[in-house]
Structure formats: C-alpha cells, structure tokens
C-alpha cells in the first residue's frame, strides 16, 4: 500500500504513511476501510442520494475505545473528520470528501432496564432498533416518524415525533450520555456531570463531541396505539386545513395530527382512481387510552367526506414505520423548513398553490403538529430553543433523476420564500439542508451565544465542523 492522501482541517491535503493506517487498524476492535475495501461503500452511502462523498479512510468503530483512537489519529494528523450514525441527515454532513469518516453505524446495541424505566442506546441504533427493544417491555421514548432514522443524529438535533406532545422532545428524555470530546477524552454528561456540555448536546447537534452511548427515560406505551390516516381530495384542503388547525390547537397532549399534502401513493386502502392524484392526508396518533383516543379523534374524523379513513388500533412499532415505504433511501432529496407558532389561512393558501404544481410525484409538504409537553419546558433549559413552535412545515422535494435537481430545489426554495412572512423565523436544525449554515443562529435563537461559548471551551479548533456549525464567540 502506498501513502494515503488525506484532507486536513486547513482544507489542504497531506500524505499519511501506510504504517499509520496499519497502526490504527491494530488498535481498533472494529475495522479500517479504504476505498475499494469491504465496508467502505456501506459506510459512505447515506439516505440522501444527492450526497456522494469519498472519504480517504473510514474507521468502522465498535466501541468507545475505537472512537477515542480514531479521534486521536485525526487530532495528531489534523485531519478533517465526519461522524456518521444512522446516515439520515438531509445535509449530508455525516460524510466528508477526502477526510476521516468515523462510522458508528455498527454500534447498534439497545439495552432496556424495565425496573428503572431507562434504556442505554448506542449511536448506530435506528429508531426501529430502539422501538422494538423498548416495546418488548411496553415502553417507549419520543422519537421520529421514520424507523430507519438514526437515534444519534435525531437526539442531538432535538428529536420530535408522534409522542412528543405527551412526553416531550427526545432530548427532554435524555438522562445522560458518554461523549468523546475533541481532545479524545471520554466524559459522561448529565444534570450532575459536565452540565454545560449536557445542556449543549440536547439540541446542539454534533458540534461538541462524539456520543458513544445515550441513556434515555422510557414511558409506558402500547403495544397498540390508536393511529392511522384520513385521506381527502386536495381540492377540499382550503376548507379542511383551518379545521385541522383548530382541532390541533385544542387537542389534548396525547393527540398528534400531521397534515401531509402530496400525490396519493398506491396505498391498498385507496381506490385506484385516486393513485397519483393530489390529496390531503391527516396522520393521527393518540398516545394513551384507546377509548379516550376514539373520543379525541372524533372531530377530525367528522371533517368533510374522506376518500379513506383507516384510523384504528395499530402496533406502535408498526405505526412508527408506517411512512417508511415513502421514505426509502436512495432518492435525491432537498428540504426547506419553517417553524410556525400559528398557521394562518394566508400560509395555507400559499402552500396549496405550491402543492398544485409539485415538481415530481414523490414531493410532499407536511405540517407537523408539536407543542404540548415540549412547550412546557423553558426555552433555555436545553439548547433546543424553539419551544413555542406549534407547527413545523417541511417542503420535502424528492426525485430520482439528476436532471430534475434544479427544478426541484427551486420549487422548495420558492415555497420557503413565499411562506416566510407567516413563519416564526426559527427552524429545526435537523431539517436544514447543507446550504443553510447561515441559518444556524436562527435555529438556536437566544441559546446561540451560550452554545458558541461552550463550543469555544470544548472544541476551540472547531475539530467537529462537519455539522450545522456553531462558531465560537
Ligand atoms: C426520512 C426522514 C424522516 C425524518 N423524520 C424526523 C422526525 O420525525 N423527527 C425528527 O426529529 N427528525 C426527523 N428527521 C431528521 C433526523 O432527525 C436527522 O436527519 C438526524 O440527523 C438523523 O440522525 P442520523 O443518526 O441518522 O444522522 P447522521 O446523518 O448519521 O448524522 C447527522 C449528523 O449528526 C452528527 N452525529 C451523528 N452521530 C453523532 C454522534 N454519535 N455523536 C456526535 N455527532 C453525531 C454529525 O454531525 C452528523 O452529520 C428525519 C430525517 C429523515 C431523512
């Protein structure tokens, strides 16, 4: 093997002697993969097919010691580093071109302690891994809506999903974490240890270190939850969405309703004549008693004349994976997102105009419903600042053909601009594409400067920079 050319933190390149790679190989319980070797492509391939980057080498870690050794090498050689867990982030920062990729996707252990109602989760675990294990004990913690998403990136950005209104954000349920810092030390963070770092990790993304283990609080839930879809023709959305807003505003914490606008997928319960036509879908989940749930969803079910209504008890793990077929890896994706405290009729009109001209059949706009328990935590209690957001819009463009890149991206940007006057100005950091780094300050609002100060103390060289980067004070 010849010397390896690797990209450095200064954005230049340098040669690493072949012996250095051999030494790293010898130290890891996991493996080191170079281009063309086993595991290299698996590690560098992520959910968003727009991202096709080729690191110089990949450390496929199996434990915290592997991560420490990889960080030590990167520090000594001043290498550019990317950190990958589930590989789902839209921005693609999980992979770098030319640098060292620290791949955690093989660290997938989930250990539930039913007696204390807690779980220890490694960073490579997906939401499906976590949910399946926790549900074996009738337990859950709030996660997202697509089961192949990584627990790690989701948690570090904040994390919300079907049970957030009842149990809070994912970070509100984080008890502690093991973190490898930029000086290659393993520290445990919690309300009692390294409180500042614990505060920053709960929403601050991958800016502060590499988490090798998360400890979560769990809540009794399931095994079944009342959940499902109600599908309406898009033409009725102008009258139905203000009603959705009213019902969502009055909903108990247990009830979460998302509105999705897109072309109808070929769902088995939809008459075939609707396949491929524009529809409004209400996706609802009640995280509590089944009978109470039936009462709570009644006003939603009473709206209009739906094409289909398939709300019924579902296994929670199945409901958590209900959207997976629409969100498979391998497509090209670009997102634009806004937070809303209210969702005025004028915003609804702009969105509906845009949905009538979707640039590809897989594009959609969804309005996530948050609030409840999430809103009752102080905005400065964790790094995740946007506690007053009640609706989160995501313009999710998705297509297959590279030739459609500019049309799809332009459509999302146009919708983003047109809805901006009605939005609150903040944004969920995990929904930001790569070209939005200038929005990071807005994502953290009043918490940004505290984050910048913690960044200065824990990562003065900005060693962890492949992320929605927080600049030091
Ligand atoms: C289809 C889809 C649906 C989604 N739905 C939801 C949803 O319902 N709710 C929600 O909250 N979010 C949702 N998201 C957003 C999701 O939370 C983020 O994409 C998240 O970053 C994914 O985590 P990951 O581990 O898969 O990401 P990765 O791409 O592996 O990592 C993302 C970034 O996090 C950092 N990072 C990753 N692991 C570590 C670690 N162990 N230590 C330090 N830094 C690390 C790195 O900077 C990396 O670039 C969704 C995303 C997709 C693609």
């Amino acid at each position: 093997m010849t010397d390896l050319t690797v990209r450095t933190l200064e954005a230049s390149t340098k040669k690493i002697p072949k012996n250095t790679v051999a030494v790293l190989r010898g130290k890891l319980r996991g493996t080191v993969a170079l281009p063309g070797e086993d595991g290299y492509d698996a590690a560098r391939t992520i959910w968003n097919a727009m991202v096709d980057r080729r690191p110089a080498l990949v450390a496929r870690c199996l434990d915290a010691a592997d991560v420490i050794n990889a960080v030590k090498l990167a520090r000594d050689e001043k290498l550019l580093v990317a950190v990958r867990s589930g590989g789902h982030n839209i921005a693609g920062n999980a992979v770098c071109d030319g640098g060292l990729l620290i791949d955690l996707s093989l660290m997938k252990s989930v250990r539930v302690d039913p007696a204390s109602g807690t779980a220890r989760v490694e960073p490579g675990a997906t939401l499906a891994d976590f949910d399946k294990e926790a549900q074996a004990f009738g337990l859950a913690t709030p996660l997202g809506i697509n089961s192949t998403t990584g627990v790690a990136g989701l948690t570090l950005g904040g994390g919300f999903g079907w049970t957030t209104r009842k149990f809070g954000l994912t970070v509100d349920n984080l008890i502690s974490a093991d973190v490898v810092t930029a000086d290659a030390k393993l520290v445990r963070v919690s309300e009692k240890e390294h409180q500042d770092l614990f505060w920053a990790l709960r929403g601050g993304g991958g800016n502060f270190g590499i988490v090798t283990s998360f400890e979560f609080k769990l809540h009794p839930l399931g095994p079944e939850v009342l959940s499902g879809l109600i599908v309406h023709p898009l033409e009725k959305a102008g009258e139905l969405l203000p009603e959705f807003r009213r019902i969502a505003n009055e909903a108990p914490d247990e009830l979460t309703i998302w509105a999705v606008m897109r072309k109808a997928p070929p769902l088995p319960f939809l008459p075939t004549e609707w396949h491929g036509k524009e529809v409004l879908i209400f996706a609802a989940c009640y995280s509590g008693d089944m009978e109470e749930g039936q009462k709570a969803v009644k006003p939603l079910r009473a709206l209009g004349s739906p094409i289909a209504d398939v709300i019924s008890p579902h296994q929670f793990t199945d409901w958590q994976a209900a959207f997976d077929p629409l969100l498979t890896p391998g497509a090209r994706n670009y997102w634009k997102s806004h937070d809303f405290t209210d969702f005025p009729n004028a915003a609804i009109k702009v969105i509906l105009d845009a949905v009538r001209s979707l640039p590809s059949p897989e594009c959609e706009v969804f309005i996530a419903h948050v609030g409840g328990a999430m809103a009752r935590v102080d905005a400065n209690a964790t790094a995740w600042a946007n506690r007053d957001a009640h609706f989160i819009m995501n313009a999710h463009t998705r297509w297959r053909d590279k030739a459609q890149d500019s049309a799809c991206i332009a459509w999302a940007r146009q919708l983003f601009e047109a809805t901006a006057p009605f939005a609150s100005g903040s944004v969920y950091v995990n929904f930001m594409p790569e070209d939005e780094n200038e929005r990071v300050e807005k994502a953290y609002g009043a918490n940004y400067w505290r984050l910048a100060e913690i960044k200065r103390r824990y990562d003065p060289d900005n060693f962890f920079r492949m992320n929605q980067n927080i600049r030091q004070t």
Side-chain angles (χ1 to χ4, degrees), residues 254-297:
E254 288 79 5
L255 180 60
T256 298
I257 313 163
W258 289 26
V260 186
M261 287 147 277
R262 56 169 296 132
K263 287 183 191 292
L267 296 165
F269 56 81
L270 279 183
T272 45
E273 66 266 26
W274 279 99
H275 295 179
K277 301 242 171 73
E278 281 102 7
V279 289
L280 164 67
I281 303 170
F282 293 127
C285 176
Y286 189 87
S287 306
D289 177 77
M290 216 49 87
E291 270 178 38
E292 291 300 316
Q294 292 288 7
K295 282 186 223 155
V297 295

Side-chain angles (χ1 to χ4, degrees), residues 2-173:
T2 53
D3 289 353
L4 201 63
T5 304
V6 188
R7 203 164 143 203
T8 67
L9 279 177
E10 280 82 39
S12 56
T13 55
K14 70 184 285 190
K15 298 253 188 219
I16 298 188
K18 56 186 177 185
N19 186 44
T20 307
V21 177
V23 170
L24 180 65
R25 272 206 169 107
K27 284 183 179 163
L28 299 194
R29 202 153 69 82
T31 54
V32 174
L34 300 179
E37 291 183 352
D38 253 13
Y40 176 82
D41 282 329
R44 76 177 189 90
T45 305
I46 59 172
W47 179 81
N48 186 1
M50 295 277 279
V51 181
D52 180 18
R53 300 197 181 130
R54 305 188 69 82
L57 72 167
V58 182
R60 305 207 79 196
C61 300
L62 289 183
D63 55 26
D66 283 2
V67 175
I68 290 170
N69 279 311
V71 169
K72 269 186 186 154
L73 170 77
R75 278 242 71 118
D76 293 348
E77 302 287 346
K78 298 190 169 36
L79 305 182
L80 176 69
V81 159
V83 181
R84 181 224 155 107
S85 286
H88 248 252
N89 197 284
I90 187 73
N93 285 320
V95 193
C96 57
D97 253 329
L100 166 64
L101 170 57
I102 300 183
D103 172 27
L104 310 171
S105 63
L106 303 175
M107 296 172 65
K108 292 172 84 68
S109 150
V110 178
R111 180 179 176 275
V112 171
D113 178 0
S116 63
T118 61
R120 269 272 164 209
V121 182
E122 284 192 322
T126 61
L127 308 197
D129 296 328
F130 189 177
D131 278 331
K132 279 180 189 159
E133 192 67 21
Q135 276 291 285
F137 303 93
L139 298 166
T141 211
L143 299 168
I145 58 106
N146 173 214
S147 81
T148 55
T149 309
V151 172
L154 178 127
T155 303
L156 294 169
F160 67 87
W162 298 118
T163 64
T164 291
R165 291 174 41 75
K166 175 72 180 159
F167 301 125
L169 292 167
T170 310
V171 284
D172 297 335
N173 292 279

Side-chain angles (χ1 to χ4, degrees), residues 119-319:
R120 269 272 164 209
V121 182
E122 284 192 322
T126 61
L127 308 197
D129 296 328
F130 189 177
D131 278 331
K132 279 180 189 159
E133 192 67 21
Q135 276 291 285
F137 303 93
L139 298 166
T141 211
L143 299 168
I145 58 106
N146 173 214
S147 81
T148 55
T149 309
V151 172
L154 178 127
T155 303
L156 294 169
F160 67 87
W162 298 118
T163 64
T164 291
R165 291 174 41 75
K166 175 72 180 159
F167 301 125
L169 292 167
T170 310
V171 284
D172 297 335
N173 292 279
L174 186 66
I175 300 169
S176 73
D178 294 347
V179 189
V180 177
T181 52
D183 54 1
K185 300 255 163 53
L186 182 72
V187 297
R188 188 185 143 94
V189 303
S190 68
E191 289 291 2
K192 294 201 178 118
E193 303 140 288
H194 298 277
Q195 291 100 328
D196 50 354
L197 193 49
F198 183 54
W199 179 88
L201 279 189
R202 286 176 290 163
N207 274 279
F208 302 94
I210 302 179
V211 178
T212 56
S213 177
F214 298 86
E215 184 189 10
F216 292 103
K217 179 163 65 187
L218 300 168
H219 308 268
L221 187 75
E224 286 188 329
V225 288
L226 186 69
S227 54
L229 309 179
I230 305 176
V231 184
H232 290 273
L234 189 77
E235 300 93 78
K236 299 292 176 192
E239 50 202 86
L240 294 175
L241 284 171
E243 292 299 307
F244 152 76
R245 177 184 61 214
R246 178 183 59 78
I247 294 167
N249 281 337
E250 292 167 0
D253 288 355
E254 288 79 5
L255 180 60
T256 298
I257 313 163
W258 289 26
V260 186
M261 287 147 277
R262 56 169 296 132
K263 287 183 191 292
L267 296 165
F269 56 81
L270 279 183
T272 45
E273 66 266 26
W274 279 99
H275 295 179
K277 301 242 171 73
E278 281 102 7
V279 289
L280 164 67
I281 303 170
F282 293 127
C285 176
Y286 189 87
S287 306
D289 177 77
M290 216 49 87
E291 270 178 38
E292 291 300 316
Q294 292 288 7
K295 282 186 223 155
V297 295
K298 231 175 171 175
L300 188 72
R301 300 183 94 167
L303 293 180
S305 310
I307 305 163
D309 174 341
V310 287
I311 295 194
S312 66
H314 293 108
Q315 292 284 318
F316 180 66
T317 46
D318 290 344
W319 175 243

